Amino acid sequence: MRSLSGLWRVAELPTTRAGVERAFSYFTAGVRLGTVAQMVPAVQLGAARSPHDVGYLVCWGAAALAAVAVSAVTLVRRRPLGTTAAVLDFALACALLVLGPLVLAPWDRFGTWTAFQPGYALSVIITAGGVRGTAVWVLGLCAVSVGYGAYLGGDVGSEMNSTVVGNILTYVVYALVTRMFFGYTRRIARDADASRARAAELARREEERRAQVMMHNGVAVMRLLTEQGDAVSRARLVVQAEVELRRMRSYLRGTAAGGGETGAAADGEGPSTGLVPVVRRVCERFADLNIDASLDLGAGLRIPAAQAEALERALGSLLLNVRAHARACEVVVHLDAAGPEAAWTLTVHDDGVGFDPVPATFGVGLREVVVGELRRRGLAVAIASAVGEGTTVTVRSRPVPEARTTGPGRPTARAAFADAP
């Protein structure tokens, strides 16, 4: 009973190709069964006035049976008729038109449902708009038009010419309109399916990116733990590993590190946090790097919690890169701001080996955790480096134009990402 009660809930059909085809099956059944309903009241009168009552009833029964069968088949298949069934449907409509003059009185051929043949042929033309094969549709329309000419025979006076032409044009117009309706609706469904597939792929890529961002620092810490090192270094790495472990667990549970849903709070909304404590907390985890942290100018600065979380991950990733690759003797972290409400600039510079900062060659750490995440949070990022001259990463609270030339003594290669979204 539940499945039957839901059979006609067209409004609940999915907006997919399968859902559209099923809606077409409802449309087909409605048109064909509606035609039978119009044929029923006149059947007794038609048989009584027909010169061949048995023949009339046979033709009427064939039309009614075919309409019910088509309705049942389309509802079961959940899509319009196939090519073979459409050919048979057209053939029956043509046969009924050709046989019409034999079972109808001449005065009943126009304007009454005792002459059901033209109305039945019109219902076939309307529902045949869903046939996939264009050739079948065109040939079927032509065959019905020829059959209607045979139905008229030579008994139509000149005063009925306008009615005849109007009826033929009705076939053509309804055929074209329904064909356009079926075709356009199918195209909408295809586009909707393609859009959903695209959205699913983008969601998959975004989730993959988020996983990379959340897991990158933890993987880097675990890799460093597997390398040889003294007890002090390993103890510091264990502390960092615990921090990253909590972050990864939060991600796997679908919650942010602070207990909210991941990605639920937009930048500029929700709670804020102090910028200096965030930077100092990360620097303390990398005390072995000989970090010179100059943060006094940023005292009192507060930033959105989501922005602070992204900045903490990015700064941790930068310092992990310094530890793993830079071979630096000193790291300078400098925070500059004109006041608690002013724009701020955070600079991280190491005197290590440097690299060629071509964005296409960036790993996940720089590309996603640093540049990608900070830009998504409305922060501008610039990376300047040169082989043998160290690396400088600058994070700004709002984008500013990048200088086209570099001053003396500064690295000559620069990768700028100042165009925050």
Side-chain angles (χ1 to χ4, degrees), residues 37-47 56 60 112-115:
Q38 290 174 296
M39 291 165 51
V40 167
V43 60
Q44 185 176 2
L45 178 61
Y56 178 88
W60 191 97
T112 66
W113 271 100
T114 56

Side-chain angles (χ1 to χ4, degrees), residues 265-272 302-308 376-378:
D267 296 326
E269 301 177 0
S272 63
R302 298 188 69 82
I303 60 176
Q307 206 173 72
R376 289 181 183 92
R377 299 301 180 182

Side-chain angles (χ1 to χ4, degrees), residues 71-112:
S71 301
V73 169
T74 54
L75 289 175
V76 171
R77 296 176 77 241
R78 299 187 175 186
R79 59 184 183 274
L81 292 177
T83 302
T84 303
V87 169
L88 296 176
D89 205 23
F90 274 122
L92 177 61
C94 294
L96 292 174
L97 287 171
V98 171
L99 294 174
L102 301 178
V103 297
L104 291 172
W107 56 85
D108 280 340
R109 294 191 198 175
F110 287 99
T112 66

Side-chain angles (χ1 to χ4, degrees), residues 375-391:
R375 284 187 60 193
R376 289 181 183 92
R377 299 301 180 182
L379 301 175
V381 185
I383 301 175
S385 185
V387 177
E389 299 186 35
T391 302

